[in-house]
Each structure stands twice: as C-alpha cells, then as structure tokens.
Amino acid sequence: MKINIRRSRRAAIAVALGSVLALTATACGDDGSGGGGGEGSEGSGKGKIVFWDNNGGVRTDIWKEIIADFEKANPQIDVEYVGISSTEYQSKVDTAIQGGGLPDVGGVGAAMLAGFSAQGALEPLDERLAGSSLKGKLNEDMVESMKAAGGGDGTLYSIPTSANNGVLYYRTDLFEKAGLEEPTTWDRFFEAAEKLTNAKKNEFGYTIRGGAGSIAQALDAMYGQSGITSFWNGDKTTVNDPKNVEALEKYAALYKKVTPSADLNNDFTKMVAQWDSGTIGMLNHNLGSYQDHVTALGTDKFRGIPQPTGPGGKRVQVSNPVDGLGLFKSSKNKEAAWKFIEFALSHEENSKFNESAGQVPANTDAAKDAWVSKAEPTKLAAEALSDGSTTIVQLPYYLPDWNTISKAENEPNFQKVLLGDLSAKEFLDTLAEQLNEAQAEWKQRNQ
C-alpha cells in the first residue's frame, strides 16, 4: 500500500494563511513609534513588548509571575502576555510570519526553530549573548543544541531556557499491590501493562498518546526497544528498520488492549489528567508533568524513572527538544525584548521557571539549586544523561520540515496504525520516504 503525502512547508504555510486567526490584535509590540514588519528596530528600550508563550495554559501562571518580576525591575517596560497552546503555536507563528502580527519575543523550542529561521523570522542572538550578563552562564550543551537546530549555519536564534527528558511514570501503590517489579526494562513494562489491566473495572496498565505529539513518543518506544542508536544510516533514516517496525507493532498493539479507548485522541494534557485522576498503571511523558502528578497524587504513590532499558541492558531514547526564547526580527523594540530574555534567563527567574516546569535549567547557577536534587525524576534524568547509561538518538530538528512531518502529516496516520487500518510498516515506510527527501533537500541547500 502506497501513501502519497506531499511533504511541503510551503503547503503548510498556505493552509495556515487560509485560516482566519485573530493575531493582529496582539501584533508586534513597540515603543509607541508604530507597528511591526520588516527588519524592525532597536527602539527606545521602553514601552510595550508582546510575548507569546508556546505552552499557554500549562505555563501561564509561572510566566505571569516572571513578567510581574520583570515589570517591577523595569517599570518603564510593559509586557503583554499571550498564551498559545503548544498544538497551535507553530501554525499561528507561520501565519504571522507571512501576514504580519508577530510578537517581539516568543517561545522557540528546538523542534520548530529551523522552520522559523528558514523563513527569516528570527533575530540572530550570538552577539547579544556575547555582550550580556548571560555570557558563560548557560549550559553549553543546550546552547549547542539550539545552534545545531537552527538550520545548519551554526547561528544562535533562540536562547535556551530548559531541557526536558523522557520519563516513565508508574503508580508504586498499584505495582506493590500486584506484586510487580519496577518497570526498568521493556519486558517488565509490557508485563506490567497487561497485569494491571482490568477493563471491566476501568483499570488499565498504560495510557498511550494517540493525539497531538504522538510521533515523538512512538519513536521513543521504537528506538528504546530496538536498541538502534542513530536516526540516520548514511543519508537514509533508520525509522523503518525491521527492528523498529517490530517494535512499533508491539507498542501500537497496546491500544485498547491495556489502554483506554479515549487514548486515540489524547494529547499530553488529557493523557496526564487521565492518569492523575484514574487507576492507570503507567504513563510516558517527560519531566514537565511532574508537579501535576505531585499535586494529584502526592509523592508516595508514584515514581518517575528514566525510560526502560532494552537489549543488553542498554537504554536508548530519542532526544527531547531544548526549549528557549527567540527574538523576532520584525520587533520595533528589540532592546526591551532582549532585556526581557536576559531577565527570564537570570539565575533566580530561570530557577523559578524550571522548578515549576520540573525541567533542567539552562542557567548553570540555577541548575545547582536545591530543588533540582529534591525533584526525583529530574535528579534521575540528569544522572541517566551524564553517567554513560543512556544513548540519545538525535532527532533531525535542523530540518525545516521536521515539525510538519512529525505532526500534521503523520499524526493522523499513527491513529490509523492504532486502529489497525494501517500497518506499522506502511506507516514507517511513508515516514522514511518523507524524511529521506527532506534530508536530501537540506543537504543540497547546505553543500
């Protein structure tokens, strides 16, 4: 079965432009001298700036707290906060790039960085960082990840705020009651998923992500089981390697057998809420939901551990994108916008943000704060990433089409796999064809 899906960023942008989005009401902030567009300007360093949060709702409260701190320290600058859900953020920015109405500052994670920079929307930040109080204060690996994701020329277009990591959360109380061992291996994971399921009592061993964001989680499960340690073999992707096909078949077969049927359409917010309120044994997410679980369950009913190990006791997982803040080139008040980025990345504010998000701070001083070692999943994740026990499969965030391929073009197909309407091999062969084409185009442009 051949699936023809034309991967095209231009097409994605055209679709976005066809949507009527109320973006101009929060158009590029300025210092009172007029609207945005073009190359922008430094401005006066005073007045209003607009900030778009790329994880609105989830991070709204902590960003409003940071903004209040910033406005107190900088009384001549006002920050307008606009929270946009993570599932809608890319399309809204793409539409604003083409039609106008970009903010001054926005959340720009590594996964969408290449797409925005390829359209010329972001201000290069290397010189600003070199001349700022943040010089030497940011995690170098995170900075390098942002540079690598920017499209291939080594320019820094987003200042990293935090790093995430995949986590397997499991209910310690349910495992103890069932006499199950901690799911530190994939074999134990599958065993527990089955033994903790009693559909008649609405009890399930696992919740699988079938809605927005499903592809990254599926890739994590695939590579974790197969043990394949590179996303590329030469110029061809390994996603449709027979070992990965077998792994995806096993993972997708969990749906409705040991998971709720609602999982088909669940994004992370619904999946997390379902796990926190029900009697589901395990959840794959990341460090970001840790505080939600603490609020719902306390700290004595669950643990968050690194992803299970696979063949030969080896842990393989795909990279989680570094998050960050970008300065949009069209801003008419770049001086004030950069002050906001600097402030948000300071020791105190970056620590405050990441403690709330449960992620690893980019500010190296913040990373030494006491809360990091007290939040067990964050501590274990940091250890797993530094003690040599984990191999990271680097996803190709540098491809301008990566976000489109891994979201809009393939999330619906993954749902077909879960429903049994599309085989794992057909799905992965289509994904591989798109990725190989995108890689070839990228190499041609960057030779």
Coordinates of all heavy atoms in Angstrom, one line a residue, residues 332-422:
K332 N 9.9 46.1 16.8 CA 10.3 47.5 16.8 C 10.9 48.0 18.1 O 11.2 49.1 18.3 CB 9.0 48.4 16.5 CG 8.5 48.2 15.1 CD 9.4 48.7 14.0 CE 8.7 48.6 12.6 NZ 9.6 49.1 11.6
N333 N 11.0 47.0 19.0 CA 11.6 47.3 20.3 C 12.5 46.2 20.8 O 12.3 45.6 21.9 CB 10.5 47.6 21.4 CG 10.9 48.4 22.5 OD1 12.1 48.7 22.7 ND2 10.0 48.8 23.4
K334 N 13.5 45.9 20.0 CA 14.4 44.8 20.3 C 15.2 45.0 21.6 O 15.5 44.0 22.3 CB 15.4 44.6 19.1 CG 14.7 44.1 17.8 CD 15.7 44.0 16.7 CE 14.9 43.6 15.4 NZ 15.8 43.6 14.2
E335 N 15.5 46.2 21.9 CA 16.3 46.5 23.1 C 15.5 46.0 24.4 O 16.0 45.3 25.2 CB 16.6 48.0 23.3 CG 17.5 48.2 24.5 CD 17.9 49.7 24.6 OE1 17.8 50.5 23.6 OE2 18.2 50.1 25.8
A336 N 14.2 46.4 24.4 CA 13.4 46.0 25.5 C 13.1 44.5 25.5 O 13.1 43.8 26.6 CB 12.0 46.7 25.5
A337 N 12.9 43.9 24.3 CA 12.7 42.5 24.2 C 13.9 41.7 24.6 O 13.7 40.7 25.3 CB 12.4 42.2 22.7
W338 N 15.1 42.1 24.3 CA 16.3 41.4 24.8 C 16.4 41.5 26.3 O 16.8 40.6 27.0 CB 17.5 42.0 24.1 CG 18.8 41.3 24.6 CD1 19.7 41.9 25.4 CD2 19.2 40.0 24.4 NE1 20.7 41.0 25.7 CE2 20.4 39.8 25.1 CE3 18.6 38.9 23.8 CZ2 21.1 38.6 25.2 CZ3 19.3 37.6 23.9 CH2 20.5 37.5 24.5
K339 N 16.1 42.7 26.9 CA 16.1 42.8 28.3 C 15.2 41.8 29.0 O 15.6 41.2 30.0 CB 15.6 44.2 28.7 CG 16.6 45.3 28.5 CD 16.1 46.7 29.0 CE 17.0 47.8 28.7 NZ 16.4 49.1 29.1
F340 N 14.1 41.5 28.4 CA 13.1 40.5 28.9 C 13.8 39.1 28.9 O 13.7 38.4 29.8 CB 11.8 40.6 28.2 CG 10.8 39.5 28.6 CD1 10.3 39.6 29.9 CD2 10.5 38.5 27.8 CE1 9.4 38.6 30.3 CE2 9.6 37.5 28.2 CZ 9.0 37.6 29.5
I341 N 14.4 38.8 27.7 CA 15.0 37.5 27.6 C 16.1 37.3 28.6 O 16.2 36.3 29.3 CB 15.6 37.3 26.2 CG1 14.4 37.2 25.2 CG2 16.4 36.0 26.1 CD1 14.8 37.1 23.7
E342 N 17.0 38.4 28.8 CA 18.1 38.3 29.7 C 17.5 38.1 31.2 O 18.0 37.3 31.9 CB 18.8 39.6 29.7 CG 20.0 39.7 28.7 CD 20.8 40.9 29.0 OE1 20.2 42.1 29.0 OE2 22.0 40.8 29.2
F343 N 16.5 38.8 31.5 CA 15.9 38.7 32.8 C 15.3 37.3 33.1 O 15.5 36.7 34.1 CB 14.8 39.8 33.0 CG 14.2 39.8 34.4 CD1 14.8 40.6 35.3 CD2 13.0 39.1 34.7 CE1 14.3 40.6 36.6 CE2 12.5 39.2 36.0 CZ 13.1 39.9 36.9
A344 N 14.6 36.8 32.1 CA 14.0 35.4 32.2 C 15.0 34.4 32.4 O 14.7 33.3 33.0 CB 13.1 35.1 31.0
L345 N 16.2 34.6 31.9 CA 17.3 33.6 31.9 C 18.2 33.8 33.1 O 19.2 33.1 33.3 CB 18.1 33.6 30.6 CG 17.7 32.5 29.6 CD1 17.9 31.1 30.1 CD2 16.2 32.7 29.1
S346 N 18.0 34.8 33.9 CA 18.8 35.0 35.1 C 18.6 33.9 36.1 O 17.7 33.1 36.0 CB 18.4 36.4 35.8 OG 17.0 36.3 36.3
H347 N 19.5 33.8 37.0 CA 19.6 32.7 38.0 C 18.2 32.5 38.7 O 17.6 31.4 38.6 CB 20.7 32.9 39.0 CG 20.8 31.9 40.1 ND1 21.7 31.9 41.1 CD2 20.0 30.8 40.4 CE1 21.5 30.9 41.9 NE2 20.5 30.2 41.5
E348 N 17.7 33.5 39.3 CA 16.5 33.4 40.1 C 15.3 33.1 39.3 O 14.5 32.2 39.6 CB 16.3 34.7 40.9 CG 15.0 34.6 41.8 CD 14.8 35.9 42.6 OE1 15.7 36.8 42.6 OE2 13.7 36.0 43.2
E349 N 15.1 33.7 38.1 CA 13.9 33.6 37.3 C 14.0 32.2 36.5 O 13.0 31.5 36.4 CB 13.8 34.7 36.3 CG 13.7 36.1 37.0 CD 12.5 36.2 38.0 OE1 11.4 35.6 37.7 OE2 12.7 36.8 39.0
N350 N 15.1 31.8 36.0 CA 15.2 30.6 35.3 C 15.1 29.4 36.3 O 14.5 28.4 35.9 CB 16.6 30.4 34.6 CG 16.7 29.3 33.7 OD1 17.6 28.4 33.8 ND2 15.8 29.2 32.7
S351 N 15.5 29.5 37.5 CA 15.3 28.5 38.5 C 13.8 28.4 38.9 O 13.3 27.3 39.0 CB 16.1 28.8 39.8 OG 16.0 27.8 40.8
K352 N 13.2 29.6 39.0 CA 11.8 29.6 39.4 C 10.9 28.9 38.3 O 10.0 28.1 38.5 CB 11.3 31.1 39.5 CG 9.9 31.3 39.9 CD 9.6 32.7 40.0 CE 10.4 33.5 41.0 NZ 10.0 34.9 41.1
F353 N 11.3 29.3 37.0 CA 10.5 28.7 35.9 C 10.7 27.2 35.8 O 9.7 26.4 35.7 CB 11.1 29.3 34.5 CG 10.5 28.6 33.3 CD1 9.2 29.0 32.9 CD2 11.1 27.6 32.6 CE1 8.6 28.4 31.7 CE2 10.6 27.0 31.5 CZ 9.3 27.4 31.1
N354 N 11.9 26.7 35.9 CA 12.2 25.3 35.8 C 11.7 24.4 37.0 O 11.3 23.3 36.8 CB 13.6 25.0 35.5 CG 14.0 25.3 34.0 OD1 13.6 24.5 33.2 ND2 14.6 26.4 33.8
E355 N 11.7 25.0 38.2 CA 11.1 24.3 39.3 C 9.6 24.1 39.1 O 9.1 23.0 39.4 CB 11.3 25.1 40.6 CG 10.8 24.4 41.8 CD 11.2 25.0 43.1 OE1 11.6 26.2 43.1 OE2 11.0 24.4 44.2
S356 N 9.0 25.1 38.5 CA 7.5 25.0 38.2 C 7.3 23.9 37.1 O 6.4 23.1 37.2 CB 7.0 26.3 37.8 OG 5.7 26.2 37.3
A357 N 8.2 24.0 36.1 CA 8.0 23.1 34.9 C 8.6 21.7 35.2 O 8.3 20.8 34.5 CB 8.7 23.7 33.7
G358 N 9.4 21.6 36.2 CA 10.1 20.3 36.5 C 11.1 19.9 35.5 O 11.4 18.7 35.3
Q359 N 11.8 20.9 34.9 CA 12.8 20.6 33.9 C 14.2 21.1 34.3 O 14.3 21.6 35.4 CB 12.4 21.4 32.6 CG 11.0 20.9 32.0 CD 10.6 21.6 30.8 OE1 11.2 22.6 30.4 NE2 9.4 21.2 30.3
V360 N 15.2 20.8 33.5 CA 16.6 21.1 33.8 C 16.9 22.5 33.4 O 16.7 22.8 32.2 CB 17.5 20.1 33.1 CG1 19.0 20.4 33.5 CG2 17.1 18.6 33.5
P361 N 17.3 23.4 34.3 CA 17.6 24.8 34.0 C 18.7 24.9 33.0 O 19.7 24.2 33.0 CB 17.9 25.4 35.3 CG 17.3 24.5 36.4 CD 17.5 23.1 35.8
A362 N 18.6 25.9 32.1 CA 19.7 26.3 31.2 C 20.8 27.1 32.0 O 21.9 27.0 31.7 CB 19.2 27.0 30.0
N363 N 20.3 27.9 32.9 CA 21.3 28.7 33.7 C 22.0 27.8 34.6 O 21.4 27.1 35.4 CB 20.5 29.8 34.5 CG 21.4 30.8 35.2 OD1 22.2 30.4 36.1 ND2 21.4 32.0 34.9
T364 N 23.3 27.8 34.5 CA 24.1 26.8 35.3 C 24.1 27.0 36.8 O 24.2 26.1 37.5 CB 25.6 26.8 34.8 OG1 26.1 28.2 34.8 CG2 25.7 26.3 33.4
D365 N 23.9 28.3 37.2 CA 23.7 28.5 38.6 C 22.4 28.0 39.1 O 22.3 27.4 40.2 CB 23.8 30.0 38.9 CG 25.3 30.6 38.7 OD1 26.2 29.8 38.9 OD2 25.4 31.8 38.3
A366 N 21.4 28.2 38.3 CA 20.0 27.7 38.7 C 20.0 26.2 38.8 O 19.3 25.6 39.6 CB 19.0 28.1 37.7
A367 N 20.8 25.5 37.9 CA 20.9 24.0 37.9 C 21.5 23.5 39.2 O 21.4 22.3 39.5 CB 21.7 23.6 36.7
K368 N 22.1 24.3 40.0 CA 22.8 23.9 41.2 C 21.8 24.1 42.4 O 22.2 23.7 43.6 CB 24.1 24.7 41.5 CG 25.1 24.4 40.4 CD 26.3 25.4 40.6 CE 27.3 25.3 39.5 NZ 28.4 26.3 39.6
D369 N 20.7 24.7 42.2 CA 19.8 24.9 43.3 C 19.2 23.7 43.9 O 19.1 22.6 43.3 CB 18.6 25.8 42.9 CG 19.1 27.3 42.6 OD1 20.2 27.6 43.0 OD2 18.3 28.1 42.0
A370 N 18.8 23.8 45.2 CA 18.5 22.6 46.0 C 17.3 21.8 45.4 O 17.2 20.6 45.5 CB 18.2 23.0 47.4
W371 N 16.3 22.5 44.8 CA 15.1 21.8 44.4 C 15.4 20.8 43.3 O 14.7 19.8 43.2 CB 14.1 22.8 43.8 CG 14.5 23.5 42.6 CD1 15.1 24.7 42.4 CD2 14.3 23.0 41.2 NE1 15.3 25.0 41.1 CE2 14.8 24.0 40.3 CE3 13.8 21.8 40.7 CZ2 14.8 23.8 38.9 CZ3 13.7 21.7 39.3 CH2 14.3 22.6 38.5
V372 N 16.5 21.0 42.5 CA 16.8 20.0 41.5 C 17.0 18.6 42.0 O 16.5 17.6 41.5 CB 18.0 20.5 40.6 CG1 18.4 19.5 39.6 CG2 17.8 21.8 40.0
S373 N 17.8 18.5 43.1 CA 18.1 17.2 43.7 C 16.9 16.7 44.5 O 16.8 15.4 44.7 CB 19.3 17.3 44.6 OG 19.1 18.2 45.7
K374 N 15.9 17.5 44.9 CA 14.8 17.1 45.6 C 13.7 16.6 44.7 O 12.8 15.8 45.1 CB 14.2 18.2 46.5 CG 15.1 18.6 47.6 CD 14.5 19.8 48.4 CE 15.5 20.2 49.5 NZ 14.9 21.4 50.3
A375 N 13.6 17.0 43.4 CA 12.7 16.5 42.5 C 13.2 15.2 41.8 O 14.1 15.3 40.9 CB 12.4 17.6 41.4
E376 N 12.8 14.1 42.3 CA 13.5 12.8 42.0 C 13.6 12.6 40.5 O 14.6 12.2 40.0 CB 12.8 11.6 42.7 CG 13.5 10.3 42.4 CD 12.8 9.1 42.9 OE1 11.5 9.1 42.8 OE2 13.4 8.2 43.4
P377 N 12.5 12.7 39.7 CA 12.6 12.5 38.3 C 13.7 13.3 37.6 O 14.4 12.9 36.7 CB 11.2 12.8 37.7 CG 10.3 12.5 38.9 CD 11.1 13.0 40.1
T378 N 13.8 14.6 38.0 CA 14.8 15.5 37.4 C 16.2 15.0 37.8 O 17.1 15.0 37.0 CB 14.5 16.9 37.9 OG1 13.2 17.3 37.6 CG2 15.5 17.9 37.3
K379 N 16.3 14.6 39.0 CA 17.6 14.1 39.5 C 18.0 12.9 38.8 O 19.2 12.7 38.3 CB 17.6 13.9 41.0 CG 18.8 13.3 41.6 CD 18.7 13.0 43.1 CE 19.9 12.4 43.7 NZ 19.7 12.0 45.1
L380 N 17.1 11.9 38.7 CA 17.4 10.7 38.0 C 17.7 10.9 36.5 O 18.5 10.2 35.9 CB 16.2 9.7 38.1 CG 16.0 9.2 39.6 CD1 14.7 8.3 39.6 CD2 17.2 8.4 40.1
A381 N 16.9 11.8 35.9 CA 17.1 12.1 34.5 C 18.5 12.7 34.2 O 19.2 12.3 33.3 CB 16.1 13.1 34.0
A382 N 18.9 13.6 35.1 CA 20.2 14.2 35.0 C 21.3 13.2 35.1 O 22.3 13.2 34.4 CB 20.4 15.3 36.0
E383 N 21.1 12.3 36.1 CA 22.1 11.2 36.3 C 22.2 10.3 35.1 O 23.3 9.9 34.6 CB 21.8 10.4 37.5 CG 22.0 11.1 38.8 CD 21.5 10.4 40.0 OE1 20.8 9.3 39.8 OE2 21.7 10.8 41.2
A384 N 21.0 9.9 34.5 CA 21.0 9.0 33.4 C 21.7 9.6 32.1 O 22.3 8.9 31.3 CB 19.6 8.6 33.0
L385 N 21.6 10.9 32.0 CA 22.1 11.6 30.9 C 23.6 11.9 31.0 O 24.3 12.2 30.1 CB 21.4 12.9 30.6 CG 20.0 12.8 30.2 CD1 19.3 14.2 30.1 CD2 19.9 12.2 28.8
S386 N 24.1 11.7 32.3 CA 25.6 12.0 32.5 C 26.4 10.9 32.9 O 27.6 11.0 32.9 CB 25.7 13.1 33.6 OG 25.1 12.7 34.8
D387 N 25.8 9.7 33.3 CA 26.6 8.6 33.8 C 27.0 7.6 32.7 O 27.5 6.5 33.1 CB 25.9 7.9 35.0 CG 24.6 7.3 34.6 OD1 24.3 7.2 33.4 OD2 23.8 6.8 35.5
G388 N 26.6 7.8 31.5 CA 27.0 6.9 30.4 C 26.0 5.7 30.2 O 26.3 4.9 29.3
S389 N 24.9 5.7 30.9 CA 24.0 4.6 30.8 C 23.0 4.8 29.7 O 22.3 3.8 29.3 CB 23.2 4.4 32.1 OG 22.4 5.6 32.4
T390 N 22.9 6.0 29.1 CA 21.9 6.3 28.1 C 22.5 6.8 26.8 O 23.4 7.6 26.8 CB 21.0 7.4 28.7 OG1 20.4 6.9 29.9 CG2 19.8 7.7 27.7
T391 N 22.0 6.2 25.7 CA 22.4 6.7 24.4 C 21.2 7.5 23.8 O 20.1 7.0 23.8 CB 22.7 5.6 23.4 OG1 23.8 4.8 24.0 CG2 23.1 6.1 22.1
I392 N 21.5 8.7 23.3 CA 20.4 9.6 22.8 C 20.4 9.5 21.3 O 21.5 9.7 20.6 CB 20.6 11.0 23.3 CG1 20.6 11.1 24.8 CG2 19.5 11.9 22.7 CD1 19.2 10.8 25.4
V393 N 19.3 9.2 20.7 CA 19.1 9.2 19.2 C 18.7 10.7 18.9 O 17.6 11.1 19.3 CB 18.0 8.2 18.8 CG1 17.8 8.4 17.3 CG2 18.5 6.8 19.1
Q394 N 19.5 11.4 18.2 CA 19.3 12.8 18.0 C 18.3 12.9 16.8 O 18.5 12.5 15.7 CB 20.6 13.6 17.6 CG 21.5 13.6 18.8 CD 21.1 14.5 19.9 OE1 20.2 15.3 19.8 NE2 21.7 14.3 21.1
L395 N 17.1 13.5 17.1 CA 16.1 13.7 16.1 C 16.5 14.9 15.2 O 17.2 15.9 15.7 CB 14.7 14.0 16.7 CG 14.2 12.8 17.5 CD1 12.8 13.2 18.1 CD2 14.0 11.6 16.7
P396 N 16.2 15.0 13.9 CA 16.7 16.0 13.0 C 15.9 17.3 13.1 O 15.2 17.7 12.1 CB 16.5 15.3 11.6 CG 15.3 14.4 11.8 CD 15.4 13.9 13.2
Y397 N 16.0 18.0 14.2 CA 15.3 19.2 14.4 C 15.8 20.3 13.4 O 15.1 21.3 13.2 CB 15.5 19.8 15.8 CG 15.0 18.8 16.9 CD1 15.9 18.4 17.9 CD2 13.7 18.4 16.9 CE1 15.4 17.6 18.9 CE2 13.3 17.5 17.9 CZ 14.1 17.1 18.9 OH 13.7 16.3 19.9
Y398 N 17.0 20.1 12.8 CA 17.5 21.1 11.9 C 16.8 21.1 10.6 O 16.9 22.0 9.8 CB 19.0 20.8 11.6 CG 19.3 19.4 11.1 CD1 19.2 19.1 9.7 CD2 19.6 18.3 12.0 CE1 19.4 17.8 9.2 CE2 19.8 17.0 11.5 CZ 19.7 16.8 10.1 OH 19.9 15.5 9.6
L399 N 16.0 20.1 10.3 CA 15.2 20.0 9.0 C 14.1 21.0 9.1 O 13.2 20.9 10.0 CB 14.7 18.6 8.7 CG 15.7 17.5 8.5 CD1 15.0 16.2 8.3 CD2 16.6 17.9 7.2
P400 N 14.0 22.0 8.2 CA 12.8 22.9 8.3 C 11.5 22.2 8.3 O 10.5 22.8 8.8 CB 13.0 23.8 7.0 CG 14.5 23.7 6.8 CD 14.9 22.3 7.2
D401 N 11.4 21.0 7.7 CA 10.1 20.3 7.5 C 9.9 19.4 8.7 O 8.9 18.7 8.7 CB 10.1 19.6 6.2 CG 9.9 20.5 5.0 OD1 9.3 21.6 5.2 OD2 10.3 20.1 3.9
W402 N 10.8 19.3 9.6 CA 10.7 18.3 10.7 C 9.4 18.4 11.4 O 8.6 17.4 11.6 CB 11.8 18.3 11.7 CG 11.6 17.5 12.9 CD1 11.3 18.0 14.2 CD2 11.5 16.1 13.0 NE1 11.1 17.0 15.1 CE2 11.2 15.8 14.4 CE3 11.7 15.1 12.2 CZ2 11.1 14.5 14.9 CZ3 11.5 13.8 12.6 CH2 11.2 13.5 14.0
N403 N 9.0 19.6 11.9 CA 7.8 19.7 12.7 C 6.5 19.3 11.9 O 5.6 18.7 12.4 CB 7.7 21.1 13.2 CG 7.5 21.1 14.7 OD1 8.0 20.2 15.4 ND2 6.9 22.1 15.3
T404 N 6.5 19.7 10.6 CA 5.4 19.4 9.7 C 5.3 17.9 9.5 O 4.2 17.3 9.6 CB 5.5 20.1 8.4 OG1 5.6 21.5 8.6 CG2 4.3 19.8 7.5
I405 N 6.4 17.3 9.2 CA 6.4 15.8 9.0 C 6.0 15.1 10.3 O 5.2 14.1 10.2 CB 7.8 15.3 8.6 CG1 8.1 15.9 7.2 CG2 7.9 13.8 8.6 CD1 9.6 15.6 6.7
S406 N 6.5 15.5 11.4 CA 6.3 14.7 12.6 C 5.0 15.0 13.3 O 4.6 14.4 14.3 CB 7.5 14.9 13.6 OG 7.5 16.3 14.0
K407 N 4.3 16.0 12.8 CA 3.0 16.4 13.4 C 1.9 16.3 12.4 O 1.2 15.2 12.3 CB 3.1 17.8 14.0 CG 4.0 17.8 15.3 CD 4.0 19.2 15.9 CE 4.9 19.3 17.1 NZ 4.4 18.4 18.2
A408 N 1.6 17.3 11.6 CA 0.5 17.4 10.8 C 0.4 16.3 9.8 O -0.7 15.7 9.5 CB 0.5 18.7 10.0
E409 N 1.5 15.8 9.2 CA 1.5 14.8 8.1 C 1.4 13.4 8.6 O 1.1 12.5 7.8 CB 2.6 15.1 7.2 CG 2.6 16.4 6.5 CD 3.6 16.5 5.4 OE1 4.5 15.7 5.2 OE2 3.5 17.5 4.6
N410 N 1.8 13.1 9.9 CA 1.8 11.7 10.3 C 1.1 11.4 11.5 O 0.9 10.2 11.8 CB 3.3 11.3 10.4 CG 3.9 11.0 9.1 OD1 3.6 10.0 8.4 ND2 4.8 11.9 8.6
E411 N 0.7 12.4 12.3 CA -0.2 12.0 13.5 C -1.5 11.3 13.1 O -1.9 10.3 13.7 CB -0.4 13.3 14.3 CG 0.8 13.7 15.1 CD 0.6 15.0 15.9 OE1 -0.4 15.6 15.7 OE2 1.5 15.3 16.7
P412 N -2.2 11.8 12.0 CA -3.4 11.1 11.6 C -3.1 9.6 11.2 O -3.9 8.7 11.4 CB -3.9 11.9 10.5 CG -3.4 13.3 10.7 CD -2.0 13.0 11.3
N413 N -1.9 9.4 10.6 CA -1.6 8.1 10.1 C -1.3 7.2 11.3 O -1.5 6.0 11.3 CB -0.4 8.1 9.2 CG -0.8 8.5 7.8 OD1 -2.0 8.4 7.4 ND2 0.1 9.0 7.0
F414 N -0.7 7.7 12.4 CA -0.4 6.9 13.5 C -1.7 6.5 14.2 O -1.8 5.3 14.7 CB 0.5 7.7 14.5 CG 0.8 6.9 15.8 CD1 1.6 5.8 15.7 CD2 0.3 7.2 17.0 CE1 1.9 5.0 16.8 CE2 0.6 6.5 18.1 CZ 1.4 5.4 18.0
Q415 N -2.7 7.3 14.2 CA -4.0 6.9 14.7 C -4.6 5.7 13.9 O -5.2 4.8 14.4 CB -5.0 8.1 14.6 CG -4.6 9.2 15.6 CD -5.6 10.3 15.6 OE1 -6.0 10.8 14.5 NE2 -6.0 10.9 16.7
K416 N -4.3 5.7 12.6 CA -4.7 4.6 11.7 C -4.0 3.3 12.1 O -4.6 2.2 12.1 CB -4.5 4.9 10.2 CG -5.4 6.0 9.7 CD -5.1 6.3 8.2 CE -5.9 7.4 7.7 NZ -5.6 7.7 6.3
V417 N -2.7 3.5 12.5 CA -2.0 2.3 13.0 C -2.6 1.7 14.2 O -2.8 0.5 14.4 CB -0.5 2.6 13.2 CG1 0.2 1.4 13.8 CG2 0.2 3.1 11.9
L418 N -3.0 2.6 15.2 CA -3.6 2.2 16.4 C -4.9 1.5 16.2 O -5.3 0.5 16.8 CB -3.8 3.4 17.4 CG -2.6 4.1 17.9 CD1 -3.0 5.3 18.8 CD2 -1.6 3.1 18.6
L419 N -5.7 2.0 15.2 CA -7.0 1.4 14.9 C -6.9 0.1 14.0 O -7.9 -0.5 13.8 CB -7.8 2.4 14.1 CG -8.3 3.6 15.0 CD1 -8.9 4.7 14.1 CD2 -9.3 3.2 16.0
G420 N -5.7 -0.2 13.5 CA -5.5 -1.3 12.7 C -5.8 -1.1 11.2 O -5.9 -2.1 10.5
D421 N -6.0 0.2 10.8 CA -6.3 0.5 9.5 C -5.0 0.7 8.6 O -5.2 0.9 7.4 CB -7.1 1.8 9.4 CG -8.5 1.6 10.1 OD1 -9.0 0.4 10.1 OD2 -9.1 2.6 10.5
L422 N -3.9 0.7 9.2 CA -2.6 0.9 8.5 C -1.6 0.1 9.3 O -1.5 0.1 10.5 CB -2.3 2.4 8.5 CG -1.0 2.9 7.7 CD1 -1.3 2.7 6.2 CD2 -0.7 4.3 8.0

